[in-house]
Amino acid sequence: MNLKMIEELSLNNWQPLSTLLYDGWILRFADGYTKRANSINPIHYSTFDLDHKIEECENLFSDRNLPATYKITPFIHPEHLDRILEEKGYSLIDPTSVQTLKLDNLSSPQLNSVKIDEHMNEEWLAHFCRLNHVKDHHKGIMERMLSNIITKKGFISLYDNNQVIACGLGIIEREYLGLYDIVTDLNYRNQGFGEQMILHLLQWGQEHGARYSYLAVVADNKPAQRLYAKLGYSEVYTYWYRVKA
């Protein structure tokens, strides 16, 4: 398994509003909505003086009223960057587990009250923002970000008594189905609804050529960790963020 390819997929399939390639580092900007879309991704070779390069990145983010935020994966260049950032006062936050699943022995979902749209619509966006408590001024940003994704998408909603109680996003690229922003209504959690929705999404991915799935889950999200383990996902690498105060 090419783990760096999974990191590439995650960059492709959660699009920022703009991207700057700076000496092998990928700088992503999305007006502050999510760390993934507002971070420095140092996954390609770096040649410039490191201290100067870090300072320039800080200035680029500061000019946009954003904290300089680095995504630290096993693929960073240079390899000692995490230590250098720590010495410069960058805090470590949000350790995250990247997990994969081979789609060859899926259980069939038992609930059928789901809807999967391959194009984003206002109804799905409204339900997602409600369930995930997205602020009003971020809604338009998210809509633009999702519109920037050029690979195959599945916007899923799960219903109970004609009410949307869970939703999420699946994106297929290179035979991998990525799961993004899976969220269940607080009043319906730990009742199996999230599992049923994901099984539908995995089935949809398989029907459209996916052979594997991947996701990222914050390490301290124990309920989500248990759910993904139950579905058969296993960790392949971890990452975290370094953030300048």
PDB file of all heavy atoms in Angstrom, residues 103 106 109 116 118 152 172 177 199-211:
ATOM      1  N   LEU A 103     -12.403  -3.329   0.696  1.00  0.00           N
ATOM      2  CA  LEU A 103     -13.849  -3.494   0.491  1.00  0.00           C
ATOM      3  C   LEU A 103     -14.168  -4.837  -0.164  1.00  0.00           C
ATOM      4  O   LEU A 103     -14.772  -4.911  -1.227  1.00  0.00           O
ATOM      5  CB  LEU A 103     -14.390  -2.345  -0.364  1.00  0.00           C
ATOM      6  CG  LEU A 103     -14.119  -0.933   0.146  1.00  0.00           C
ATOM      7  CD1 LEU A 103     -14.749   0.096  -0.790  1.00  0.00           C
ATOM      8  CD2 LEU A 103     -14.657  -0.755   1.563  1.00  0.00           C
ATOM      9  N   LEU A 106     -17.886  -6.802   2.821  1.00  0.00           N
ATOM     10  CA  LEU A 106     -18.746  -5.832   3.482  1.00  0.00           C
ATOM     11  C   LEU A 106     -20.033  -6.472   3.977  1.00  0.00           C
ATOM     12  O   LEU A 106     -20.628  -7.324   3.313  1.00  0.00           O
ATOM     13  CB  LEU A 106     -19.109  -4.704   2.507  1.00  0.00           C
ATOM     14  CG  LEU A 106     -17.984  -3.775   2.060  1.00  0.00           C
ATOM     15  CD1 LEU A 106     -18.522  -2.762   1.054  1.00  0.00           C
ATOM     16  CD2 LEU A 106     -17.365  -3.062   3.251  1.00  0.00           C
ATOM     17  N   PRO A 109     -26.094  -3.285   4.715  1.00  0.00           N
ATOM     18  CA  PRO A 109     -26.828  -2.410   5.643  1.00  0.00           C
ATOM     19  C   PRO A 109     -28.241  -2.918   5.860  1.00  0.00           C
ATOM     20  O   PRO A 109     -28.860  -3.506   4.964  1.00  0.00           O
ATOM     21  CB  PRO A 109     -26.810  -1.056   4.940  1.00  0.00           C
ATOM     22  CG  PRO A 109     -26.591  -1.374   3.491  1.00  0.00           C
ATOM     23  CD  PRO A 109     -25.763  -2.609   3.454  1.00  0.00           C
ATOM     24  N   ILE A 116     -28.320   9.179  -1.517  1.00  0.00           N
ATOM     25  CA  ILE A 116     -26.970   9.547  -1.948  1.00  0.00           C
ATOM     26  C   ILE A 116     -27.079  10.357  -3.230  1.00  0.00           C
ATOM     27  O   ILE A 116     -27.582   9.874  -4.244  1.00  0.00           O
ATOM     28  CB  ILE A 116     -26.082   8.315  -2.166  1.00  0.00           C
ATOM     29  CG1 ILE A 116     -25.964   7.500  -0.875  1.00  0.00           C
ATOM     30  CG2 ILE A 116     -24.688   8.751  -2.641  1.00  0.00           C
ATOM     31  CD1 ILE A 116     -25.132   6.232  -1.024  1.00  0.00           C
ATOM     32  N   GLU A 118     -24.900  12.580  -6.083  1.00  0.00           N
ATOM     33  CA  GLU A 118     -23.542  12.719  -6.591  1.00  0.00           C
ATOM     34  C   GLU A 118     -23.179  14.166  -6.890  1.00  0.00           C
ATOM     35  O   GLU A 118     -22.061  14.440  -7.334  1.00  0.00           O
ATOM     36  CB  GLU A 118     -23.351  11.817  -7.808  1.00  0.00           C
ATOM     37  CG  GLU A 118     -23.486  10.343  -7.427  1.00  0.00           C
ATOM     38  CD  GLU A 118     -23.114   9.380  -8.534  1.00  0.00           C
ATOM     39  OE1 GLU A 118     -22.626   9.838  -9.592  1.00  0.00           O
ATOM     40  OE2 GLU A 118     -23.315   8.169  -8.328  1.00  0.00           O
ATOM     41  N   LYS A 152     -15.129  11.857  -8.101  1.00  0.00           N
ATOM     42  CA  LYS A 152     -16.514  11.403  -7.923  1.00  0.00           C
ATOM     43  C   LYS A 152     -16.935  11.513  -6.465  1.00  0.00           C
ATOM     44  O   LYS A 152     -16.247  11.002  -5.575  1.00  0.00           O
ATOM     45  CB  LYS A 152     -16.670   9.966  -8.405  1.00  0.00           C
ATOM     46  CG  LYS A 152     -18.133   9.532  -8.516  1.00  0.00           C
ATOM     47  CD  LYS A 152     -18.260   8.191  -9.192  1.00  0.00           C
ATOM     48  CE  LYS A 152     -19.710   7.864  -9.503  1.00  0.00           C
ATOM     49  NZ  LYS A 152     -20.303   8.787 -10.480  1.00  0.00           N
ATOM     50  N   ILE A 172     -14.345   9.255  -4.356  1.00  0.00           N
ATOM     51  CA  ILE A 172     -13.614   8.139  -4.957  1.00  0.00           C
ATOM     52  C   ILE A 172     -12.515   8.665  -5.875  1.00  0.00           C
ATOM     53  O   ILE A 172     -12.758   9.499  -6.744  1.00  0.00           O
ATOM     54  CB  ILE A 172     -14.562   7.231  -5.762  1.00  0.00           C
ATOM     55  CG1 ILE A 172     -15.678   6.683  -4.864  1.00  0.00           C
ATOM     56  CG2 ILE A 172     -13.781   6.079  -6.399  1.00  0.00           C
ATOM     57  CD1 ILE A 172     -16.752   5.931  -5.627  1.00  0.00           C
ATOM     58  N   LEU A 177     -12.049   4.954  -1.696  1.00  0.00           N
ATOM     59  CA  LEU A 177     -13.173   5.769  -1.243  1.00  0.00           C
ATOM     60  C   LEU A 177     -12.777   6.442   0.065  1.00  0.00           C
ATOM     61  O   LEU A 177     -12.545   5.764   1.072  1.00  0.00           O
ATOM     62  CB  LEU A 177     -14.409   4.890  -1.011  1.00  0.00           C
ATOM     63  CG  LEU A 177     -15.582   5.546  -0.277  1.00  0.00           C
ATOM     64  CD1 LEU A 177     -16.233   6.617  -1.144  1.00  0.00           C
ATOM     65  CD2 LEU A 177     -16.611   4.501   0.150  1.00  0.00           C
ATOM     66  N   LEU A 199     -22.087   1.928   6.014  1.00  0.00           N
ATOM     67  CA  LEU A 199     -22.212   0.717   5.201  1.00  0.00           C
ATOM     68  C   LEU A 199     -22.834   1.024   3.845  1.00  0.00           C
ATOM     69  O   LEU A 199     -22.409   0.488   2.816  1.00  0.00           O
ATOM     70  CB  LEU A 199     -23.043  -0.326   5.946  1.00  0.00           C
ATOM     71  CG  LEU A 199     -22.355  -1.030   7.121  1.00  0.00           C
ATOM     72  CD1 LEU A 199     -23.336  -1.914   7.872  1.00  0.00           C
ATOM     73  CD2 LEU A 199     -21.159  -1.849   6.635  1.00  0.00           C
ATOM     74  N   HIS A 200     -23.822   1.904   3.816  1.00  0.00           N
ATOM     75  CA  HIS A 200     -24.400   2.324   2.537  1.00  0.00           C
ATOM     76  C   HIS A 200     -23.370   3.053   1.684  1.00  0.00           C
ATOM     77  O   HIS A 200     -23.290   2.845   0.465  1.00  0.00           O
ATOM     78  CB  HIS A 200     -25.611   3.231   2.777  1.00  0.00           C
ATOM     79  CG  HIS A 200     -26.889   2.499   2.981  1.00  0.00           C
ATOM     80  ND1 HIS A 200     -27.585   1.901   1.951  1.00  0.00           N
ATOM     81  CD2 HIS A 200     -27.609   2.261   4.111  1.00  0.00           C
ATOM     82  CE1 HIS A 200     -28.670   1.324   2.420  1.00  0.00           C
ATOM     83  NE2 HIS A 200     -28.716   1.525   3.728  1.00  0.00           N
ATOM     84  N   LEU A 201     -22.580   3.904   2.317  1.00  0.00           N
ATOM     85  CA  LEU A 201     -21.585   4.678   1.577  1.00  0.00           C
ATOM     86  C   LEU A 201     -20.491   3.761   1.031  1.00  0.00           C
ATOM     87  O   LEU A 201     -20.040   3.927  -0.118  1.00  0.00           O
ATOM     88  CB  LEU A 201     -20.994   5.758   2.489  1.00  0.00           C
ATOM     89  CG  LEU A 201     -20.268   6.931   1.827  1.00  0.00           C
ATOM     90  CD1 LEU A 201     -21.109   7.564   0.732  1.00  0.00           C
ATOM     91  CD2 LEU A 201     -19.900   7.971   2.885  1.00  0.00           C
ATOM     92  N   LEU A 202     -20.073   2.767   1.817  1.00  0.00           N
ATOM     93  CA  LEU A 202     -19.075   1.810   1.345  1.00  0.00           C
ATOM     94  C   LEU A 202     -19.624   0.982   0.188  1.00  0.00           C
ATOM     95  O   LEU A 202     -18.916   0.709  -0.790  1.00  0.00           O
ATOM     96  CB  LEU A 202     -18.645   0.891   2.491  1.00  0.00           C
ATOM     97  CG  LEU A 202     -17.931   1.556   3.677  1.00  0.00           C
ATOM     98  CD1 LEU A 202     -17.615   0.521   4.752  1.00  0.00           C
ATOM     99  CD2 LEU A 202     -16.650   2.260   3.237  1.00  0.00           C
ATOM    100  N   GLN A 203     -20.884   0.596   0.286  1.00  0.00           N
ATOM    101  CA  GLN A 203     -21.523  -0.151  -0.793  1.00  0.00           C
ATOM    102  C   GLN A 203     -21.587   0.683  -2.071  1.00  0.00           C
ATOM    103  O   GLN A 203     -21.301   0.194  -3.167  1.00  0.00           O
ATOM    104  CB  GLN A 203     -22.922  -0.572  -0.345  1.00  0.00           C
ATOM    105  CG  GLN A 203     -23.653  -1.508  -1.280  1.00  0.00           C
ATOM    106  CD  GLN A 203     -25.011  -1.901  -0.714  1.00  0.00           C
ATOM    107  OE1 GLN A 203     -25.940  -1.096  -0.646  1.00  0.00           O
ATOM    108  NE2 GLN A 203     -25.128  -3.148  -0.284  1.00  0.00           N
ATOM    109  N   TRP A 204     -21.955   1.951  -1.920  1.00  0.00           N
ATOM    110  CA  TRP A 204     -21.979   2.862  -3.076  1.00  0.00           C
ATOM    111  C   TRP A 204     -20.587   2.976  -3.689  1.00  0.00           C
ATOM    112  O   TRP A 204     -20.426   2.934  -4.924  1.00  0.00           O
ATOM    113  CB  TRP A 204     -22.478   4.236  -2.627  1.00  0.00           C
ATOM    114  CG  TRP A 204     -22.333   5.310  -3.654  1.00  0.00           C
ATOM    115  CD1 TRP A 204     -23.191   5.616  -4.670  1.00  0.00           C
ATOM    116  CD2 TRP A 204     -21.234   6.249  -3.778  1.00  0.00           C
ATOM    117  NE1 TRP A 204     -22.716   6.681  -5.414  1.00  0.00           N
ATOM    118  CE2 TRP A 204     -21.511   7.083  -4.881  1.00  0.00           C
ATOM    119  CE3 TRP A 204     -20.064   6.460  -3.039  1.00  0.00           C
ATOM    120  CZ2 TRP A 204     -20.649   8.113  -5.275  1.00  0.00           C
ATOM    121  CZ3 TRP A 204     -19.203   7.469  -3.435  1.00  0.00           C
ATOM    122  CH2 TRP A 204     -19.500   8.292  -4.545  1.00  0.00           C
ATOM    123  N   GLY A 205     -19.563   3.120  -2.851  1.00  0.00           N
ATOM    124  CA  GLY A 205     -18.203   3.221  -3.367  1.00  0.00           C
ATOM    125  C   GLY A 205     -17.795   1.982  -4.140  1.00  0.00           C
ATOM    126  O   GLY A 205     -17.203   2.080  -5.229  1.00  0.00           O
ATOM    127  N   GLN A 206     -18.113   0.827  -3.589  1.00  0.00           N
ATOM    128  CA  GLN A 206     -17.775  -0.421  -4.253  1.00  0.00           C
ATOM    129  C   GLN A 206     -18.475  -0.528  -5.609  1.00  0.00           C
ATOM    130  O   GLN A 206     -17.880  -0.965  -6.604  1.00  0.00           O
ATOM    131  CB  GLN A 206     -18.157  -1.596  -3.353  1.00  0.00           C
ATOM    132  CG  GLN A 206     -17.608  -2.938  -3.788  1.00  0.00           C
ATOM    133  CD  GLN A 206     -17.942  -4.023  -2.778  1.00  0.00           C
ATOM    134  OE1 GLN A 206     -19.073  -4.114  -2.304  1.00  0.00           O
ATOM    135  NE2 GLN A 206     -16.961  -4.843  -2.440  1.00  0.00           N
ATOM    136  N   GLU A 207     -19.733  -0.115  -5.668  1.00  0.00           N
ATOM    137  CA  GLU A 207     -20.487  -0.151  -6.930  1.00  0.00           C
ATOM    138  C   GLU A 207     -19.892   0.779  -7.977  1.00  0.00           C
ATOM    139  O   GLU A 207     -20.124   0.599  -9.176  1.00  0.00           O
ATOM    140  CB  GLU A 207     -21.942   0.227  -6.659  1.00  0.00           C
ATOM    141  CG  GLU A 207     -22.705  -0.821  -5.862  1.00  0.00           C
ATOM    142  CD  GLU A 207     -24.057  -0.324  -5.390  1.00  0.00           C
ATOM    143  OE1 GLU A 207     -24.355   0.886  -5.603  1.00  0.00           O
ATOM    144  OE2 GLU A 207     -24.810  -1.121  -4.805  1.00  0.00           O
ATOM    145  N   HIS A 208     -19.116   1.774  -7.529  1.00  0.00           N
ATOM    146  CA  HIS A 208     -18.512   2.730  -8.462  1.00  0.00           C
ATOM    147  C   HIS A 208     -16.997   2.532  -8.587  1.00  0.00           C
ATOM    148  O   HIS A 208     -16.266   3.463  -8.929  1.00  0.00           O
ATOM    149  CB  HIS A 208     -18.830   4.164  -8.027  1.00  0.00           C
ATOM    150  CG  HIS A 208     -20.266   4.534  -8.242  1.00  0.00           C
ATOM    151  ND1 HIS A 208     -21.250   4.228  -7.338  1.00  0.00           N
ATOM    152  CD2 HIS A 208     -20.894   5.163  -9.285  1.00  0.00           C
ATOM    153  CE1 HIS A 208     -22.416   4.663  -7.794  1.00  0.00           C
ATOM    154  NE2 HIS A 208     -22.225   5.229  -8.974  1.00  0.00           N
ATOM    155  N   GLY A 209     -16.542   1.312  -8.310  1.00  0.00           N
ATOM    156  CA  GLY A 209     -15.164   0.963  -8.619  1.00  0.00           C
ATOM    157  C   GLY A 209     -14.171   1.050  -7.491  1.00  0.00           C
ATOM    158  O   GLY A 209     -12.987   0.748  -7.700  1.00  0.00           O
ATOM    159  N   ALA A 210     -14.595   1.435  -6.299  1.00  0.00           N
ATOM    160  CA  ALA A 210     -13.658   1.506  -5.179  1.00  0.00           C
ATOM    161  C   ALA A 210     -13.354   0.106  -4.660  1.00  0.00           C
ATOM    162  O   ALA A 210     -14.257  -0.730  -4.521  1.00  0.00           O
ATOM    163  CB  ALA A 210     -14.221   2.373  -4.059  1.00  0.00           C
ATOM    164  N   ARG A 211     -12.101  -0.151  -4.366  1.00  0.00           N
ATOM    165  CA  ARG A 211     -11.680  -1.430  -3.782  1.00  0.00           C
ATOM    166  C   ARG A 211     -11.205  -1.262  -2.340  1.00  0.00           C
ATOM    167  O   ARG A 211     -11.086  -2.247  -1.611  1.00  0.00           O
ATOM    168  CB  ARG A 211     -10.563  -2.042  -4.622  1.00  0.00           C
ATOM    169  CG  ARG A 211     -10.975  -2.382  -6.052  1.00  0.00           C
ATOM    170  CD  ARG A 211      -9.783  -2.891  -6.850  1.00  0.00           C
ATOM    171  NE  ARG A 211      -9.212  -4.070  -6.213  1.00  0.00           N
ATOM    172  CZ  ARG A 211      -7.942  -4.452  -6.376  1.00  0.00           C
ATOM    173  NH1 ARG A 211      -7.112  -3.715  -7.119  1.00  0.00           N
ATOM    174  NH2 ARG A 211      -7.487  -5.543  -5.785  1.00  0.00           N
TER     175      ARG A 211
END
